[in-house]
Amino acid sequence: MAVAFLLYVIAEFAAIWAVGSLVGVLGTIALLLAGAFVGSWLARREGGKAMRAFVSKAQSGAPAEKELTDGMLIALGGVLIMVPGFVSDLLGLFVLLPPTRALARRFWLRRAEKRAIKFANARRGPVMVVDSEVVAEDPRPTQHQVIEGRIVEG
């Protein structure tokens, strides 16, 4: 994780340096500020849409994992837009724009499903489900409780 963060910082510095050498210091600062303003406006607009979609799905009683994931990705995009830098702005726009957010959502849901299965099986071991009933692979023999005593006939 530390290597990824270091690579990100190097990429941000390289992007700012490249843009700064093309448009100058004031132009670079203006582009960073414009990106923050446009990105925050876009995050607010898309966040409102996602919230309305989530509320309508929840009121209808249908599963709303798509809308919930969209809301999470929009929040992530808003944070990335507010971080100064061009690489973070591009990543933020990637998860804010609806067509590319759909790609990110599919990736995120697949990853979450795989991780949930992996961690659930690691904790309780592999299980088998038959007709909605969880069946253990190696059923443990039932142990009977033994009460010691003597029989009195009377």
Side-chain angles (χ1 to χ4, degrees):
M1 190 65 167
V3 173
F5 181 71
L6 182 64
L7 289 175
Y8 162 74
V9 171
I10 291 170
E12 281 290 4
F13 276 127
I16 290 173
W17 189 289
V19 171
S21 66
L22 287 176
V23 297
V25 174
L26 292 178
T28 303
I29 293 171
L31 281 173
L32 288 171
L33 288 174
F37 283 119
V38 170
S40 63
W41 169 80
L42 185 62
R44 183 174 175 168
R45 189 188 88 185
E46 292 297 318
K49 283 183 184 177
M51 185 63 177
R52 286 188 294 278
F54 173 74
V55 167
S56 69
K57 277 280 195 173
Q59 286 177 343
S60 69
E65 71 267 357
K66 175 186 174 262
E67 290 77 14
L68 194 60
T69 307
D70 275 354
M72 182 222 32
L73 288 171
I74 290 167
L76 175 66
V79 169
L80 286 171
I81 288 287
M82 298 313 287
V83 171
F86 295 111
V87 175
S88 63
D89 286 353
L90 288 175
L91 290 172
L93 284 175
F94 181 79
V95 295
L96 280 176
L97 297 174
T100 54
R101 187 173 60 237
L103 294 172
R105 180 184 344 107
R106 269 187 262 138
F107 170 77
W108 186 266
L109 289 176
R110 271 195 219 122
R111 181 176 181 265
E113 183 180 352
K114 285 180 185 177
R115 288 177 59 104
I117 291 170
K118 175 184 166 188
F119 288 120
N121 287 339
R123 178 140 195 228
R124 69 172 182 255
V127 296
M128 184 174 21
V129 178
V130 177
D131 292 334
S132 304
E133 300 271 337
V134 176
V135 180
E137 284 187 7
D138 56 342
R140 297 184 179 116
T142 57
Q143 297 183 5
H144 300 287
Q145 185 175 6
V146 177
I147 303 173
E148 293 186 22
R150 60 179 195 194
I151 299 174
V152 179
E153 294 181 18

